[in-house]
Each structure stands twice: as structure tokens, then as C-alpha cells.
């Protein structure tokens, strides 16, 4: 958009603009790329991003606002801007409200939106499918026909083609391939094939032959479902899932009867190891760690130590498989020293044309890499990644506008929005339900444009009862449309079909989490898009992503907000609409203000709702204080403007002493032993336990090959 000193230019066809930006992202992206060459890039990750000087903006002209600055956390000056004297055509929507009315000054005193750094990086690509059919593998014919007829799959994915033969040979393996590339079957097929072929037929009462550990309950259910389908012809092999939430008593009863392929979250399994006499690991032939890098993280590590000790104490012979889309060098090295002669399987095809026939040559399995050539994670080719920079005060209306645009005015959209805590999920879920679906500002059916779709909100986080978690998971899985608000419990492994957009409302704490979150869309060769929401002070994060070979293209906040002109529920007092006159920036501001006021009115409708908003804000600040050291220069609590953040929780004023508790907690953390050291020590301990079954070989300095006692 062209710039006219602080006033948004006329947007004659806001509807068309929105559709151009989101419905046809490729051309828009290409246009932005071309425009980018004219911009000054900020290549250095150290340098602060350049300020955008002449861009059209909803933000009024620059002026230091001392009062606002004083309210910045810890008093650190943040560049803020006060409005130019409002003119008839460029006033905030709330300028027109009666004196004394509760209004929100959404478009005043916001920091300038910086020019985004635009580093050019070549993303890592993988080829998803091969032309080889499952028949090419040496599998039981009934297993092949189950894959073909029950799972309705004919050709193998690259990771399956590589992993299945290696695993059938009895090798340990580290498997890394992009999100949604079929890793679950890459291990489930060899497990089922090998167990059904055992000479002495497996009895239910034998107990577990395969142990599959996954980080979340939903993923446990999903993997269980896959195993169950593969076992259709082999009814004597019994699968089972332990995942917490269920009554321990009934899980104990199932364990007593016998489970041959046991899928579990680490915590729940530890529970049973400690309290259930009926669990044993005498027969274990397979140990699978799906999402291995997550399971090896601090937190899960303790549980895993208990599990490995219990398994090692009883089992003589087994294959170990570690899988993830983001197996880091640390995990690879740990596996290298602890697994038996492991094969490293990676489908990376970074520098080669994935469509060329030779590219298959790079699908060869290889020994684990000593060095880390893996610092760029593969991103599905069909995934369009976007970023939008939004001043804190406008975050809430921007998220709402985006959801309205996608889920109300476009068809068949399924959106996942990631937040950093359960409280944030719960707050936004309730707020959107109460304001966008019912109540005074609700989108009453008679106001809905004929092209609109009813909104459906769902939420998923660890504080929900298991019954509800499972119901939500199933509901969203089978829905064609809907908006799922969730924490990172939905980031790993979940295969939710036809998700079209991933929104990261709170930035993730690591590139791996970024990859897993966006990986809930564009799975198995499909298309999808993602949107990362950043505050102006967080723009540098784009460089951090680029250093991991992740490219994002910018979307303008103005384009997202302009959808509000389609919705007469948000008409300003002057009553303008796209029907009566062209929707310009002023109307967009008015409507955004009406929407914000709707949120604020709801939040201030009772003490309970105010307190809920404050708690959510506090939770946000706490989560913000936990970004890792390497990202602190971008996500630092001191860079937050408390008053502006409060607005994004529908609060009219910044609550007092809000960050005191977050700061206290931070200080307490500083007093704790160095977490990094603790993490390293845990990994070493874990490596020792993993290799304990090969103890004699290691102690005598034997080679890896001699470690295996089985
Ligand atoms: N050979 C195949 N042909 C067609 N579809 C397949 C094939 N293999 C797997 N799929 C489907 O692809 C989707 C993604 O598979 P899966 O969940 O195993 O991916 P993943 O690599 O484990 O992803 P993540 O890294 O996110 O955990 C699933 O819906 C699965 O049914």
C-alpha cells in the first residue's frame, strides 16, 4: 500500500485486498518479494530492525508519549507515538464517542511497526512420496492388504521406504523426516510384521513385546489407533494404551489381562511401574521413542530414566528406535553413544531438485553424523509461512479479525491457534465464545452475510478433564471447519486432517517447537499456511528463524483488520458500511474499536471476568519470562508495555503489581542451580542408563558392535 504521512490510504476494495492476501498467497508473496528488494534489509541478528518510515499505517505520527512510557515495565523507554491532532478523516473510532463513555484508544501511542528483516534463506526440502508400493517390501500379504484396504495407502513415503527395511533387519535407528511424512507407519509396520512372524505365537498373557512412548495423551490415542488398524488380521496380538486421565484401576485390569503392544505417555507408565505388580518387560523386543527430542527434554527425562531402568532390568534383547521431525544433534549424539550400531535415517534433500530422479539416491540410510549438518529443519513444500507485526494493543482485535476472515468469510477453513499457557487458551476461548458467538455484540444470524459460515470454537490444554480432551480431539479431527485454541500439547505428532491455518499467537520458545506447530498443517504433501504474530519489539525473531533456514513472508495488520468492514456487527456510530460507502482506513479503525469495546465490555461485565483477564495476563507475563537465554534479547519482559498488553486482554487499565510475581519467579529461577548444567547432567545419566544393557562392552572399551549382549 502507498503511504500518505500517517494516514492509511484509501482502500477502495478492502474485500478484494483481503482475498488477494490470503486466498491467493503465492502472487501476494511474489509481490512482496519484489517490493522487498526495494527495502533496506537488516541482515545482522544483532542489529535492531530498521524503522519503517514512510509506510501507510493505522498508527498515528511519531511523538514521545511520556505518560505511556512511564507505564512501560521497569520504566525502560519504549518508543511510543502519540496521535496527530485528529482530522475528520483520520481520527480513531473512539474519538467520536461521548465524553465519559468507556472507550479504548486502540490506535494511539503505539510503537512504530519496524521494517522486518528479510534474510533470504534456502529452506530444507524433502520429497514426501516415492513411487514404490508396499508390495515391494517383504511383508505378510495380510499386512499389505490391510495397508491397502483399511488404511487406503498404496505407495510408500520416503521415510517409510528407508526405515521399514532397516528396521526389519533388526537394526536400531534414528529417524528424522519432516512433519506429516508418515513416521508413525515407518515404525508401526515393522513392529507388526516382526511380532506376527514370531515362531512361538504371541499370547496375550505374555505382556508387552513392544513399548511405544509418546509425549502426549492425544498422540498416544492416535498411535494406538494406527496400531489397532494394522493388527486387524493378527487378532492374537493385543494393543493397549496407557495415558493418564483414565482410572488407574481399569488400566491395571487391562495390564493384568495382557497388552502386547503397549503405547504410553512416560508419566503414566512410571505410575504403573511404581504401583502395579502386573507390569513387566520380560518380553520387550521393541522400544520406540516417538518425538524423541521432546521425550528426552528435561521433565520427561526423569520418567524415562525410571522406564529404561525397569526395562533394562528385565529385557535381554530389543531394538531401539528414536523418531522426530526435529532430532537435534544432541539427541543424535546421545543415541550414537547409547544405541547399538544405530542407523541414521534422514530424508533431507536440501540442495537437490526433489523432482529429479537422482534425488532418490539421497534417501540412502547412513550412519549417524558426527557433526551437526542438521541445523535446518525440513519444512513441507506446501506450507506458506507468514508473519504479522502487531502493536500489543491491537493483538486481540487482530486475532479476532483473522479468525473472522478465515472462518466466517471463507469456506472449509480449519484453524489452530497456539498460546503459551492453559490460562491463555481458556481466557481467549471464553472471551471469543461470549463475544463473537453470543451476547450483545454477537453475530446474530440475521446480521450474518449470506456467504458466512457459523463459527465453531474448541480448546485443548492439559488442565481439561481427560474425557473432554478426548472429545475435543475427536471433534476437531472429524470437523471440516473450526477454530482450535490450544497449548503446545497439540504441537507434536497430532495428525488433524485438513487443517488450513496455524496461528502462533504467542511465539514458540524454540525453532523445533515452531516446526512442530506449523507441521499440523500441510501434511503428507497437502497445502497449508501459518501465521506468526509478533509485537514490534519482537521483529528480530524473523532473523532467528532464518538462522534455522525458516522463511516467513510478511502480512500487513491493516489487511487483516480490513475484514471488519464486511461485518456490520462492528459498525461505528456513524453507521458506515461497505454497502453505503467505500470502507476506508477510518472505518476500519472505527470497527476495530467497536470490536475492542465489545471485548472490554465483556471483560468488565463482572468481577469474575476482570479477575479472569488479570490472571490470563499474569500467565502471559510468566510464560514470557521463560523464553530461553538465546531469545531473551527479543522476548524480554522489560520490553513489554504492560498497559498495552492489558488492552489485549480486554482490560481498560494495567493492573498493579502484575509483573511482580513473574519477576519474583524469575529471581527464584536465577537462584536455582544452572538449568543448562542440570540438563547436560540428565542427558549423560540417561545415556548411561540407555547403554547399561551393553555395560560389559563399554567398560572394556569395546566397540559399539561388541556392546550388544543380545
Ligand atoms: N504411505 C502413505 N500414503 C498415504 N498417506 C500416508 C502414508 N503414510 C502415512 N500417511 C498419512 O500421513 C499422515 C501423517 O502421518 P504421520 O502422522 O505418521 O506423520 P509424522 O511424520 O509422524 O508427523 P509428525 O512429525 O507431525 O509426528 C497420516 O494421516 C497418515 O495416515
Amino acid at each position: 500500500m502507498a503511504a500518505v504521512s500517517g494516514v492509511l490510504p484509501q482502500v477502495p476494495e478492502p474485500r478484494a485486498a483481503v482475498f488477494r492476501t490470503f486466498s491467493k498467497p503465492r502472487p501476494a508473496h511474489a509481490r512482496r518479494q519484489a517490493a522487498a528488494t526495494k527495502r533496506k534489509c537488516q541482515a545482522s541478528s544483532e542489529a535492531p530492525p530498521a524503522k519503517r518510515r514512510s509506510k501507510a499505517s493505522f498508527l498515528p505520527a511519531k511523538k514521545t508519549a511520556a505518560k505511556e512510557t512511564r507505564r512501560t515495565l521497569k520504566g525502560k523507554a519504549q518508543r511510543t507515538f502519540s496521535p496527530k491532532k485528529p482530522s475528520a478523516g483520520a481520527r480513531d473510532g473512539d474519538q467520536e464517542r461521548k465524553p465519559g463513555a468507556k472507550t479504548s484508544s486502540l490506535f494511539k501511542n503505539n510503537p512504530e511497526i519496524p521494517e522486518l528483516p528479510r534474510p533470504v534463506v534456502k529452506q530444507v526440502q524433502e520429497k514426501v512420496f516415492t513411487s514404490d508400493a508396499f508390495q515391494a517390501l517383504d511383508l505378510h500379504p495380510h499386512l499389505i492388504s490391510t495397508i491397502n484396504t483399511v488404511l487406503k495407502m498404496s505407495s510408500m513415503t520416503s521415510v517409510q521406504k528407508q526405515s521399514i527395511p532397516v528396521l526389519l533387519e533388526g537394526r536400531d535407528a534414528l529417524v528424522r523426516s519432516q512433519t506429516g511424512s508418515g513416521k508413525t507407519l515407518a515404525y508401526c509396520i515393522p513392529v507388526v510384521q516382526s511380532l506376527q512372524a514370531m515362531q512361538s505365537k504371541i499370547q496375550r498373557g505374555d505382556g508387552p513385546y513392544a513399548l511405544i512412548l509418546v509425549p502426549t495423551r492425544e498422540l498416544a490415542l492416535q498411535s494406538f489407533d494406527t496400531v489397532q488398524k494394522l493388527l486387524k488380521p493378527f487378532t492374537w496380538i493385543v494393543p493397549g494404551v496407557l495415558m493418564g486421565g483414565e482410572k488407574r484401576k481399569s488400566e491395571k485390569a487391562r495390564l493384568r489381562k495382557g497388552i502386547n503392544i503397549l503405547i504410553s505417555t512416560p508419566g503414566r507408565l512410571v505410575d504403573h511401574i511404581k504401583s502395579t505388580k502386573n507390569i513387566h518387560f520380560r518380553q520387550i523386543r521393541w522400544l520406540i521413542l516417538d518425538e524423541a527430542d521432546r521425550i528426552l527434554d528435561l521433565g520427561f527425562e526423569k520418567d524415562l530414566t525410571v522406564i529404561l531402568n525397569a526395562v533394562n532390568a528385565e529385557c535381554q534383547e530389543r531394538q531401539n528406535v528414536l523418531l522426530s521431525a526435529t532430532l537435534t544433534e544432541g539427541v543424535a549424539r546421545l543415541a550414537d553413544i547409547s544405541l547399538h550400531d544405530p542407523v541414521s535415517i534422514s530424508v533431507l534433500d536440501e540442495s537437490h531438485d526433489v523432482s529429479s530422479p537422482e534425488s532418490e539416491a539421497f534417501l540412502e540410510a547412513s550412519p549417524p553424523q558426527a557433526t551437526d549438518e542438521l541445523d535446518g529443519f525440513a519444512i513441507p513444500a506446501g506450507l506458506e509461512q507468514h508473519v504479522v507485526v502487531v502493536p500489543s494493543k491491537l493483538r486481540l482485535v487482530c486475532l479476532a479479525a483473522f479468525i473472522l476472515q478465515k472462518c466466517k468469510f471463507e469456506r472449509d477453513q480449519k484453524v489452530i491457534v497456539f498460546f503459551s499457557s492453559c490460562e491463555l487458551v481458556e481466557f481467549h476461548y471464553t472471551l471469543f465464545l461470549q463475544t463473537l458467538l453470543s451476547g450483545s455484540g454477537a453475530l446474530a444470524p440475521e446480521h450474518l452475510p449470506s456467504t458466512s459460515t457459523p463459527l465453531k470454537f474448541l480448546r485443548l490444554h492439559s488442565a481439561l478433564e481427560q474425557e473432554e480432551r478426548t472429545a475435543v480431539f475427536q471433534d476437531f479431527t472429524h470437523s471440516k471447519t473450526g477454530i482450535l485454541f490450544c497449548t503446545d500439547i497439540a504441537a507434536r505428532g497430532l495428525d488433524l486432517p485438513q487443517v488450513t491455518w496455524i496461528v502462533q499467537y504467542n511465539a514458540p520458545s524454540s525453532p523445533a517447537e515452531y516446526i512442530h506447530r506449523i507441521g499440523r498443517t500441510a501434511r503428507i504433501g497437502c497445502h497449508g499456511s501459518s501465521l506468526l504474530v509478533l509485537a514490534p519489539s519482537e521483529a528480530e525473531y524473523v532473523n532467528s528463524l532464518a538462522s534455522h533456514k525458516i522463511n516467513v513472508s510478511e502480512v500487513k495488520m491493516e489487511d487483516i483488520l480490513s475484514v471488519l468492514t464486511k461485518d456490520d456487527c462492528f459498525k461505528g456510530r456513524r453507521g458506515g458500511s461497505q454497502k453505503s460507502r467505500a470502507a476506508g482506513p477510518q472505518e476500519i479503525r472505527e470497527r476495530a474499536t467497536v470490536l475492542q469495546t465489545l471485548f472490554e465490555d465483556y471483560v468488565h461485565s463482572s468481577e469474575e471476568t476482570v479477575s479472569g483477564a488479570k490472571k490470563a495476563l499474569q500467565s502471559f507475563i510468566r510464560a514470557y519470562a521463560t523464553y530461553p537465554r538465546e531469545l531473551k534479547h527479543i522476548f524480554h519482559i522489560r520490553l513489554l508495555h504492560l498497559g498495552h498488553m492489558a488492552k489485549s486482554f480486554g482490560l481498560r487499565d494495567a493492573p498493579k503489581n502484575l509483573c511482580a510475581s513473574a519477576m519474583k519467579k524469575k529471581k527464584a529461577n536465577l537462584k536455582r542451580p544452572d538449568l543448562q548444567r542440570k540438563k547436560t547432567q540428565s542427558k549423560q545419566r540417561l545415556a548411561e542408563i540407555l547403554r547399561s544393557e551393553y555395560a560389559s562392552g563399554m567398560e572394556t572399551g569395546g566397540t559399539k558392535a561388541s556392546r550388544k549382549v543380545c
Side-chain angles (χ1 to χ4, degrees):
M1 282 196 246
V4 189
S5 64
V7 180
L8 196 79
Q10 288 302 310
V11 187
E13 292 173 308
R15 217 185 274 207
V18 170
F19 278 98
R20 267 204 306 278
T21 308
F22 296 107
S23 300
K24 293 180 179 173
R26 278 179 194 281
H29 180 224
R31 277 199 308 280
R32 279 193 296 276
Q33 288 285 6
T37 56
K38 291 182 187 166
R39 288 187 191 169
K40 200 176 171 187
C41 295
Q42 283 281 314
S44 159
S45 63
E46 297 302 319
K51 301 288 179 191
R52 187 179 292 156
R53 302 221 176 270
S54 59
K55 283 284 152 191
S57 170
F58 279 90
L59 307 172
K62 181 167 73 174
K63 182 179 160 191
T64 305
K67 193 175 159 204
E68 290 292 332
T69 306
R70 273 200 301 278
R71 285 161 61 196
T72 305
L73 286 185
K74 226 188 152 196
K76 174 158 179 163
Q78 183 177 359
R79 294 184 71 187
T80 56
F81 301 87
S82 64
K84 275 182 176 174
K85 210 173 177 187
S87 68
R91 286 173 303 185
D92 261 11
D94 59 342
Q95 296 288 328
E96 294 180 39
R97 296 185 172 268
K98 285 178 191 157
K102 293 169 183 168
T103 55
S104 19
S105 54
L106 268 191
F107 294 91
K108 285 194 233 167
N109 303 318
N110 286 308
E112 197 175 359
I113 294 181
E115 178 94 10
L116 272 188
R118 299 187 67 88
V120 179
V121 288
K122 188 162 190 249
Q123 288 190 169
V124 179
Q125 294 228 316
E126 290 179 9
K127 182 180 172 185
V128 178
F129 277 105
T130 68
S131 50
D132 295 23
F134 285 98
Q135 277 80 349
L137 297 169
D138 190 16
L139 299 176
H140 191 290
H142 289 172
L143 182 52
I144 292 179
S145 77
T146 304
I147 294 168
N148 294 158
T149 58
V150 179
L151 298 180
K152 299 190 171 37
M153 295 170 193
S154 48
S155 51
M156 286 182 273
T157 64
S158 300
V159 70
Q160 290 160 0
K161 182 184 168 183
Q162 280 205 78
S163 309
I164 296 171
V166 167
L167 295 179
L168 287 175
E169 277 171 24
R171 304 276 301 270
D172 280 7
L174 273 159
V175 182
R176 191 178 94 140
S177 72
Q178 70 185 25
T179 50
S181 57
K183 290 185 288 296
T184 314
L185 279 179
Y187 68 79
C188 285
I189 291 174
V191 167
V192 170
Q193 167 64 23
S194 74
L195 296 188
Q196 65 76 32
M198 283 184 67
Q199 284 203 326
S200 64
K201 202 170 175 180
I202 287 177
Q203 305 289 312
R204 181 171 188 177
D206 292 348
Y209 282 80
L211 177 56
I212 300 170
L213 293 176
V214 297
T216 65
R217 297 173 188 177
E218 286 72 21
L219 190 48
L221 272 180
Q222 191 178 284
S223 306
F224 171 69
D225 185 56
T226 304
V227 171
Q228 208 174 21
K229 284 178 179 153
L230 287 179
L231 284 174
K232 274 212 155 122
F234 314 111
T235 48
W236 63 93
I237 304 172
V238 178
V241 62
L242 305 178
M243 54 172 203
E246 194 185 354
K247 282 197 182 111
R248 203 183 281 131
K249 210 170 155 191
S250 65
E251 284 187 346
K252 273 187 189 179
R254 288 194 289 119
L255 277 168
R256 200 178 312 120
K257 278 190 190 164
I259 294 175
N260 305 126
I261 299 180
L262 180 58
I263 299 139
S264 182
T265 53
R268 192 54 161 192
L269 188 57
V270 166
D271 244 24
H272 283 285
I273 289 172
K274 289 183 174 165
S275 69
T276 311
K277 288 195 186 81
N278 299 309
I279 194 157
H280 70 80
F281 302 104
R282 291 190 289 276
Q283 304 290 356
I284 290 285
R285 300 288 193 279
W286 291 90
L287 174 65
I288 316 274
L289 303 189
D290 198 359
E291 307 296 345
D293 54 332
R294 178 80 190 99
I295 289 182
L296 292 176
D297 270 0
L298 200 70
F300 280 115
E301 169 272 336
K302 259 189 186 168
D303 290 340
L304 195 59
T305 305
V306 174
I307 294 166
L308 290 171
N309 275 331
V311 174
N312 288 341
E314 292 186 76
C315 107
Q316 299 298 308
E317 183 179 350
R318 68 163 190 258
Q319 262 180 274
N320 301 287
V321 188
L322 274 59
L323 306 100
S324 178
T326 52
L327 277 179
T328 53
E329 186 201 12
V331 180
R333 225 186 280 126
L334 173 68
D336 188 26
I337 58 167
S338 56
L339 304 184
H340 167 65
D341 192 18
V343 177
S344 178
I345 296 166
S346 173
V347 192
L348 287 189
D349 191 7
E350 188 175 350
S351 53
H352 300 271
D353 176 5
V354 288
S355 59
S356 78
E358 306 96 73
S359 62
E360 298 225 352
F362 295 92
L363 304 180
E364 290 300 313
S366 61
Q369 304 290 325
T371 56
D372 186 8
E373 51 145 20
L374 314 174
D375 59 337
F377 299 121
I379 293 176
L383 213 162
E384 293 273 347
Q385 298 166 81
H386 305 273
V387 62
V388 60
V389 181
V390 185
S392 300
K393 279 203 281 186
L394 287 151
R395 281 170 66 81
L396 190 57
V397 284
C398 194
L399 175 64
F402 182 82
I403 287 172
L404 291 172
Q405 178 181 325
K406 292 293 129 200
C407 299
K408 190 173 163 189
F409 297 107
E410 291 178 20
R411 289 195 182 282
D412 299 333
Q413 295 285 336
K414 216 164 148 180
V415 179
I416 301 181
V417 186
F418 283 100
F419 294 89
S420 54
S421 74
C422 303
E423 289 90 348
L424 288 175
V425 171
E426 207 51 44
F427 168 75
H428 288 91
Y429 170 75
T430 310
L431 180 68
F432 280 35
L433 267 188
Q434 295 298 327
T435 51
L436 299 186
L437 283 189
S438 59
S440 59
L443 312 177
E446 62 273 20
H447 289 140
L448 289 174
S450 55
T451 52
S452 70
T453 315
L455 296 172
K456 174 178 176 176
F457 290 103
L458 297 161
R459 91 300 207 187
L460 192 62
H461 57 76
S462 60
L464 295 177
E465 293 293 326
Q466 186 52 43
E467 239 172 57
E468 190 170 3
R469 263 172 84 162
T470 309
V472 167
F473 174 56
Q474 297 298 346
D475 190 352
F476 195 67
T477 299
H478 297 114
S479 288
K480 271 196 157 177
T481 58
I483 308 115
L484 178 69
F485 287 179
C486 61
T487 58
D488 277 333
I489 62 163
R492 292 264 179 167
L494 291 194
D495 187 52
L496 300 157
Q498 288 142 24
V499 172
T500 49
W501 277 89
I502 303 296
V503 179
Q504 306 198 52
Y505 190 60
N506 303 126
S509 59
S510 70
E513 284 318 304
Y514 177 93
I515 294 288
H516 287 284
R517 284 174 167 190
I518 62 170
R520 297 317 99 208
T521 187
R523 296 173 73 72
I524 204 83
C526 294
H527 287 272
S529 306
S530 67
L531 178 70
L532 172 67
V533 183
L534 293 178
S537 59
E538 298 165 350
E540 174 65 21
Y541 190 56
V542 171
N543 272 335
S544 169
L545 291 176
S547 69
H548 295 277
K549 301 190 180 170
I550 298 167
N551 259 331
V552 288
S553 67
E554 190 179 2
V555 165
K556 296 280 186 269
M557 174 186 73
E558 294 89 329
D559 289 340
I560 293 177
L561 290 179
S562 66
V563 75
L564 299 176
T565 59
K566 289 187 200 174
D567 206 323
D568 281 355
C569 302
F570 308 118
K571 244 191 310 202
R573 293 199 165 196
R574 289 185 305 176
S577 80
Q578 84 275 18
K579 288 175 202 146
S580 55
R581 63 189 171 93
Q586 172 58 17
E587 187 175 353
I588 296 171
R589 286 184 196 181
E590 284 177 12
R591 288 181 178 226
T593 304
V594 170
L595 178 56
Q596 174 71 18
T597 307
L598 175 67
F599 289 138
E600 291 184 12
D601 284 348
Y602 170 73
V603 165
H604 290 272
S605 62
S606 72
E607 272 180 32
E608 202 186 340
T609 46
V610 170
S611 145
K614 285 182 184 171
K615 274 190 192 141
L617 173 56
Q618 199 153 26
S619 167
F620 167 81
I621 292 170
R622 267 202 307 274
Y624 208 84
T626 64
Y627 277 98
R629 197 182 307 155
E630 61 273 20
L631 290 177
K632 278 273 187 255
H633 65 293
I634 302 170
F635 302 101
H636 200 290
I637 200 163
R638 273 196 293 262
L639 300 173
L640 288 181
H641 188 301
L642 187 56
H644 290 191
M645 281 315 306
K647 264 225 168 318
S648 73
F649 287 83
L651 291 164
R652 293 194 176 112
D653 299 300
K656 290 194 180 87
N657 300 327
L658 243 190
C659 47
S661 64
M663 287 305 201
K664 245 188 239 166
K665 198 160 178 168
K666 205 183 145 211
K667 277 187 189 152
N669 274 347
L670 287 175
K671 283 181 198 157
R672 284 169 58 190
D674 185 337
L675 286 177
Q676 200 55 41
R677 184 162 46 90
K678 203 171 161 194
K679 206 168 176 175
T680 314
Q681 283 171 349
S682 334
K683 288 227 163 106
Q684 280 165 356
R685 215 166 43 240
L686 197 59
E688 275 161 28
I689 296 164
L690 270 163
R691 72 181 169 233
S692 65
E693 66 180 310
Y694 316 120
S696 53
M698 291 300 285
E699 280 156 13
T700 56
T703 62
K704 271 188 248 162
S706 68
R707 278 190 251 146
K708 199 168 184 179
V709 286
C710 45

